[in-house]
Structure formats: structure tokens, C-alpha cells
Amino acid sequence: MSPLPTTSAAGPRSDPVAAPVGRVRVTPRQVVTDTLVLTRRNLLRNVRLPQLLLFSTVQPVMFLLLFNFVFGGAIGQAIPGDYAYIQWLMPGLVIQVATFGAGQTAIGLTEDLSKGVIDRFRSLPMARAAVLTGRTLADLFRNAAVLTIMLAVGFLIGFRYETNLLGFLAGVALALAFGYALSWVMATIGMLVRNPEAAQSAVFLPVFPLVFASSVFLPTQTMPDWLRVFADNQPITVIANALRGLMLGDAALLAGQDTAGQVLESLAWIVGITLLFGGLATRAYRRAVS
Amino acid sequence: MPPPSPAATPAPAEGSVTRPAVVRVRDLVRTFGEVRALDGVSLDVQPGIVYGLLGPNGAGKTTLIRVLATLLRPQSGSAEVAGVDVLADPTTARTRIGLAGQFAAVDEYLTGRENVAMVGRLYGLSPAEARRRTQDVLERIHLTDAADRQVGTYSGGMRRRLDLAASLVGRPQVMFLDEPTTGIDPRSRMDLWELIEDLVEAGTTVLLTTQYLEEADRLAQRIAVIDQGRIVSEGTADELKDALGGAVLEVAVGEDDRAAATEVLERVGGDPVTRDPARGRLRIPARDGSQTLLAAVRALDDAGVRTSDIALHRPSLDDVFLAVTGKPVEPTPAANAEVDVEDPDATASRAARRGRRPSRRSRG
């Protein structure tokens, strides 16, 4: 497949009948327009089928309530410092929700692929990249909506940030950025399995070990050494730490860690994953459709 | 019956007014693993007509459409649509084509209007222009009443109509329709046929694939029969039928009159008489059509032969299909409505990409 053309010397692609004989090129501006058109289309699905958004919100809220009220008492003993478990849990759950939400990217893409929608898109003079960018952007907005609802419930049952509003919002933004990076991982998985049902299960394969073998729900100190090495160095722990630093302050971190360091490390993970899997997803997409 | 001669590189019929072809295909080859889905296909489509690609499952029809719609690259050969080389310059080609596939690729949770307008935006129209043309298109397909309902509430036929119409918003010069009526009820099929005829009247060229002879016969000005990745016969429906031997006169007579009737018919027709083994009827080529019929009726009457039936038969497209592909036709559309519309070509290609031989293809 030809690479996405980016030259801007374009005739209008607007009226094929009157189109000039010269080559039609997809301009960078059209990449943006087409991305937004498809983002809107993907988001409308959530608006028109509110049960979709409802059920994707119910699960994180359930996690929040179960962990806080069922396990919270016991786990709370193992939390460093004097934090109530809800304080420790909430930043972790924010990253967990953003991670699980990214799986929607794979499911949405494979559904479009199996229904012939992507064939239709590819036969149009639109920016090809927009199929992927429009999907990941829509999933970012969707993730933000789910997070907002879950955070509201969190505040209701007692969560309070201990730094300031800016730190809190920066934490949410960091989690969303990580969710966006993961959307490209999920897009790659989706393009490799191609089938919506298979995608449903495939996306959880990387997600479960990453979320549970991390500091999302409880500190890593109680894990066996071999697991702890993995847990401490994988991106979800790094980002959970960064979120705790941003929302609760340096006191919530282990000795030797500081918020700025964790945030920088998180950003490195986010940029790295986005670049790597952005490329892989684009390649997998081209192969899946030709 | 001599089979129609295989079409070599198609040349426009001599004596006809030749306009430059709007679709030009030369020697296309596309393989999936060991399967040669396209095995050297060449064809020309004149502007302003419906051109039918007729063939059994897995013949290569969908693969050809996918190449022309810029979805698939062939290993070799060339293809030009509306003056644009689809392989060298797919983006420009996409501004001039429309595609409606075997699935209604419309979004259930958007309204009909939103679906069409979105495609308009992706053709590069401004929001206002997309809105305006969407209204035109919806009026044209008589879908204005349901335009603001979600497509999830539409019938299968309405979805297909919307799917087809969505492309019209970009005013394509050439529409590719891949089995547009597979799996829908007869009433909706008639509606779609009318829509396709309207399209052509308005100047669009339509290239459609079908498994249904009735559909090709009704819609297509020219037909290519495709089998195992090759075009095995090409022409108008009448040319294809005539190539099978033209009209045949059939006469049913009693046992006692058979010898006399045979003698009379051979004198009138100038050819040896054959006997239809199933029903015992006498058959003779009717070179002059109804004139042969009239002459035969008079001569049989003069000779005092009593006939119980006498009729002129033309070969049907069914006969053509059987003769050139060696396979019987698919069941009629009505019997086939609401079936699974899995795309055999895509199945073959997916299987081949996974490195397996597709199992569904039986090679004759």
C-alpha cells in the first residue's frame, strides 16, 4: 500500500465530476478533518447506545466499591504511611480504568473490519491514517467520560486529593495519556486477530497481568522477589506511582522516589509505547486490509 | 451446441460507436497462495452502461472489484478507471468511484442522513455541501421519511439502498456494486434494480457482480462470464445466447407422424433434425427465427402432419452459464434470500493469507 501522501499541492477533492485531471493528494489538513469526522462517528455510538457507556462505567465503579469495602480493611494494614485505603486505591484505579478502556480500540476496529466499513473507508479519497487516529481519539474521549464518573463516585465515598487541584488534574491527564498509548497497542492486537470475538479475549491477555502485578491495588513489597522485580519496573506501577505523587504528594512514594522522577519515567513510557505501537498498528492495519 | 468462444483481449464491437472505455483492465493477475483468483483478466467497460460480471462462487468477481476499487493490489496487469491508473494513483481514482459491497457497510446507530453526510465529508465535501447533497441523495432513493431514524430500525432492503446511496454523495463516475442484491427479499431487489437503472440514466457507469442470471439479464447491457479467474465469455446477453446456437424450433408430434415430420422439417430448416431425449420432441435450429416457425407450420400443415405443440425457444442465460462454466446456476434469488452472505473470495484470501489452502474452493 502506498504510504500516506502528505504533499499539500492539492486540487480540491471536493467535486469528483469537476475534478481537475491532475493528481489528487491527501493534505495534512484533510488528515485532521477526516480524523475528527471519524472521531465524531465513533463517539456517537456511545451517545446513541447509552448502555455501552453505562456498562463500561459499572465495571470500574464495582471494582472501586468492592476493593474499598471488601478488601480495603485487610489491605489497608499493608499500606505505607497513614493513608486510608481509598486514598491509595483511587490513583491506582484511575490507571486501571484507562488501561481496560483502551481495549475498546481493538474491539471497535475489528467490528468495523468485519462489517465491511473499513473497505468503504478505503475506497474513499480520505486520509487513510484517520481510520486509526479517529478511533484512538474517540476512545480517549470515552475513557475521559468513564473516568469522570468513577472519580465522582470516589469523591462520594471519601477520596480527597492531598496536593492541589492542578496536581490532581495532571494525574488524570497522565492516566489518559497512558490509556491513549495503550490504544495503539490494542489497535495492533485488533489488526492481528481481526475478529471481534477473538479481540474481546485477546485484549485482556496483556492487561490482566500488567494491572494485577503492579502497585495498582496494593504495594509491591509483599510480592515474591521475582514478581516484585517485574512489578516495580513495569509501566503501570511507574504510572500508578506518578499518580500517587501527583495526587497525594511525595509522602505516598517509596523512599528514594520522587514525583518528578516518576512523572518523567511515565512520560518516557507513554511516548515510547505510542511511537512503537503507532508504527506497528499502522503496519498491521495495512496488512490486514490488503 | 458450440460453446461461445472465449474472449481474448476484448475489442469494442465493430461498427458500434466507440467511446473511450471508462474501465480498462489488462491482464490482471492476483493470487492468494496457490489460488489464482484473477488469472489474466482483461476487459473494457464503455461509459454509461451497466456491465455485469457473472460467475459462480469464488470465480474472482469480488477480487476484481476489490482491485478496481483500490482495496487490493494485483501481482501484475493494469487497471484504469475514469482515466486514472488505479495502481499508480489510487487517491485520485477514489474521487471518481463509489463502492457498495456485499455487506451494507452503514452504521446502525447513526441515522440514514448522518451516514450519507459522513461519507460526503470523507469525499472531501464541506459540511454545508455534504448536507445539501445528502438531502438530494435521500430524495433520490425515496428515503426522506426514514432519514432521521437510526439505521438499526431499517429493513435489509433499506440498508442496501442507503449503502448504495452513500457513495452517490461523492458523484462518482463509476459505481462498483458487489452482489448488491444478495440476501434481500424480491421486493427490495426490484427497488434496487430501479435505483441502478436511474443511476445509469443519470450518466453513471455501473460495474456489478452477480450470481443471478435474472439480474444480469435485466440490468446489464454487457456481460462477462468469469470462472476460475478468467473471463470465459463476453458480450451482450443476446450475443451470449446466440453464441450457443441461436433459436431452436421444437415440434411435438405423435409416434405415427414422426418420420413425415422429420422429413418436412429438414426440408424447411436445411439442417438435420435432432430429438430431445427427455420428451421426444423434434428440434431444429431456427435460422430465421419466427420466419422458420411460420414456414414449418405451413409445410407441416400441407403435409397433413398433426402436431400437438410447436414452439420457438431461445437459449437462456442459464444455458450460457452451464455451457461456459460447466456448472449449474445458483438457486434463484428468491430461494436464496436471507442467507449467510460470507464472501467466498474474501474467505479464500483470508485463508491464503494464513498460509492455508482454502477448503471451500472446488476446482472443476
Side-chain angles (χ1 to χ4, degrees):
Chain A
M1 289 285 99
S2 55
L4 183 73
T6 47
T7 8
S8 59
R13 51 168 187 165
S14 47
D15 193 343
V17 178
V21 182
R23 281 172 86 99
V24 177
R25 294 294 207 161
V26 174
T27 64
R29 208 180 131 210
Q30 283 155 358
V31 178
V32 175
T33 310
D34 293 345
T35 297
L36 293 179
V37 168
L38 289 190
T39 302
R40 179 171 177 273
R41 172 231 177 210
N42 295 333
L43 282 175
L44 271 175
R45 174 182 194 140
N46 293 290
V47 178
R48 298 288 161 75
L49 296 172
Q51 57 270 43
L52 265 185
L53 200 58
L54 181 73
F55 283 112
S56 42
T57 314
V58 163
Q59 196 201 14
V61 167
M62 218 156 63
F63 262 97
L64 170 62
L65 298 177
L66 284 176
F67 270 86
N68 188 53
F69 294 114
V70 179
F71 302 122
I75 300 176
Q77 312 291 323
I79 300 297
D82 295 331
Y83 292 107
Y85 184 55
I86 182 72
Q87 296 294 85
W88 173 269
L89 178 65
M90 205 61 211
L93 274 187
V94 167
I95 192 68
Q96 186 246 348
V97 166
T99 303
F100 277 48
Q104 210 55 43
T105 303
I107 293 159
L109 275 177
T110 46
E111 274 174 1
D112 282 351
L113 198 61
S114 69
K115 282 188 194 156
V117 175
I118 288 187
D119 277 351
R120 149 67 50 74
F121 290 155
R122 293 178 62 243
S123 74
L124 295 173
M126 58 175 281
R128 306 204 125 186
V131 173
L132 294 176
T133 52
R135 169 63 60 184
T136 50
L137 196 59
D139 289 333
L140 173 65
F141 286 122
R142 188 175 159 285
N143 243 344
V146 174
L147 265 188
T148 305
I149 296 172
M150 196 199 61
L151 282 165
V153 176
F155 279 110
L156 275 179
I157 63 172
F159 172 73
R160 296 290 180 269
Y161 55 82
E162 297 176 12
T163 50
N164 50 44
L165 183 62
L166 204 65
F168 168 74
L169 291 178
V172 174
L174 195 67
L176 287 174
F178 183 67
Y180 184 77
L182 279 186
S183 271
W184 289 100
V185 179
M186 297 305 175
T188 310
I189 293 175
M191 286 302 106
L192 292 179
V193 301
R194 288 188 199 146
N195 167 302
E197 285 80 31
Q200 290 270 12
S201 352
V203 295
F204 286 111
L205 283 180
V207 161
F208 265 105
L210 283 174
V211 165
F212 282 91
S214 77
S215 67
V216 161
F217 297 109
L218 71 181
T220 57
Q221 288 93 313
T222 58
M223 297 177 189
D225 284 347
W226 58 268
L227 184 59
R228 199 180 155 188
V229 171
F230 168 76
D232 278 342
N233 292 290
Q234 60 116 326
I236 290 194
T237 298
V238 173
I239 289 168
N241 291 345
L243 256 64
R244 291 198 175 103
L246 285 167
M247 294 182 177
L248 306 175
D250 280 351
L253 300 178
L254 295 175
Q257 294 178 339
D258 65 50
T259 304
Q262 297 297 308
V263 169
L264 278 180
E265 211 180 310
S266 302
L267 289 174
W269 276 109
I270 289 167
V271 171
I273 291 173
T274 307
L275 288 180
L276 176 64
F277 282 92
L280 289 177
T282 308
R283 260 187 56 178
Y285 170 68
R286 291 206 175 117
R287 291 177 67 156
V289 294
S290 62
Chain B
M1 285 191 282
S5 59
T9 303
E14 280 177 44
S16 68
V17 188
T18 50
R19 300 169 63 191
V22 71
V23 177
R24 275 172 60 90
V25 171
R26 290 292 177 273
D27 306 317
L28 277 188
V29 173
R30 170 74 210 207
T31 60
F32 295 108
E34 290 170 35
V35 178
R36 295 178 78 80
L38 294 178
D39 193 6
V41 168
S42 299
L43 58 83
D44 279 329
V45 178
Q46 304 303 312
I49 64 166
V50 176
Y51 192 98
L53 284 171
L54 190 62
N57 266 333
K61 306 185 295 285
T62 299
T63 306
L64 179 55
I65 293 279
R66 290 178 67 81
V67 169
L68 293 174
T70 75
L71 301 183
L72 191 67
R73 288 187 76 85
Q75 272 97 6
S76 65
S78 64
E80 205 178 88
V81 174
V84 181
D85 183 334
V86 298
L87 304 176
D89 190 5
T91 308
T92 308
R94 288 181 198 123
T95 62
R96 301 175 190 199
I97 62 167
L99 170 71
Q102 294 178 6
F103 309 92
V106 285
D107 286 324
E108 297 199 348
Y109 45 89
L110 299 186
T111 66
R113 190 185 300 280
E114 285 167 340
N115 266 293
V116 179
M118 178 183 76
V119 173
R121 294 283 284 137
L122 296 174
Y123 266 109
L125 305 177
S126 69
E129 180 69 4
R131 255 197 310 278
R132 202 178 60 69
R133 286 203 200 171
T134 296
Q135 182 61 27
D136 291 348
V137 164
L138 291 170
E139 279 167 17
R140 203 157 148 197
I141 62 166
H142 312 295
L143 217 67
T144 40
D145 289 345
D148 296 305
R149 266 169 39 206
Q150 287 184 38
V151 172
T153 67
Y154 285 19
S155 69
M158 287 163 81
R159 286 178 200 212
R160 291 293 183 102
R161 234 155 70 213
L162 183 71
D163 185 42
L164 205 158
S167 299
L168 300 182
V169 77
R171 299 191 180 151
Q173 285 168 258
V174 182
M175 276 294 292
F176 299 113
L177 306 179
D178 192 13
E179 302 199 2
T181 65
T182 296
I184 62 174
D185 62 89
R187 170 75 208 143
S188 304
R189 178 168 310 110
M190 296 296 290
D191 288 347
L192 264 173
W193 285 354
E194 279 169 23
L195 175 57
I196 292 168
E197 283 164 346
D198 287 350
L199 262 180
V200 172
E201 207 159 295
T204 311
T205 306
V206 173
L207 180 59
L208 75 84
T209 74
T210 182
Q211 302 181 30
Y212 306 136
L213 302 166
E214 188 195 353
E215 188 161 288
D217 218 354
R218 154 90 190 252
L219 289 176
Q221 277 82 52
R222 286 189 84 80
I223 295 170
V225 183
I226 184 166
D227 188 37
Q228 299 192 16
R230 292 175 162 278
I231 289 182
V232 288
S233 194
E234 206 264 356
T236 64
D238 283 340
E239 283 167 3
L240 294 179
K241 291 170 188 169
D242 288 346
L244 276 190
V248 171
L249 185 67
E250 280 192 1
V251 183
V253 292
E255 196 76 27
D256 302 341
D257 286 327
R258 185 169 297 149
T262 303
E263 190 260 321
V264 169
L265 288 173
E266 287 185 346
R267 180 157 45 78
V268 171
D271 285 299
V273 166
T274 54
R275 252 184 90 202
D276 166 10
R279 292 182 298 171
R281 295 187 165 204
L282 303 176
R283 299 172 64 118
I284 190 163
R287 295 180 180 284
D288 300 317
S290 54
Q291 290 306 312
T292 308
L293 172 67
L294 287 173
V297 169
R298 276 189 221 107
L300 288 168
D301 193 39
D302 289 346
V305 176
R306 288 168 54 87
T307 59
S308 56
D309 190 20
I310 180 163
L312 200 56
H313 283 292
R314 287 174 55 79
S316 64
L317 269 182
D318 296 66
D319 298 326
V320 174
F321 196 82
L322 184 63
V324 299
T325 70
K327 296 184 186 77
V329 234
E330 302 293 321
T332 61
N336 216 13
E338 292 311 318
V339 290
D340 132 43
V341 287
E342 171 84 61
D343 160 14
D345 289 334
T347 305
S349 66
R350 275 197 297 271
R353 275 199 301 263
R354 286 193 298 263
R356 278 197 264 119
R357 271 194 81 119
S359 54
R360 280 177 57 170
R361 280 171 95 92
S362 54
R363 318 233 96 200

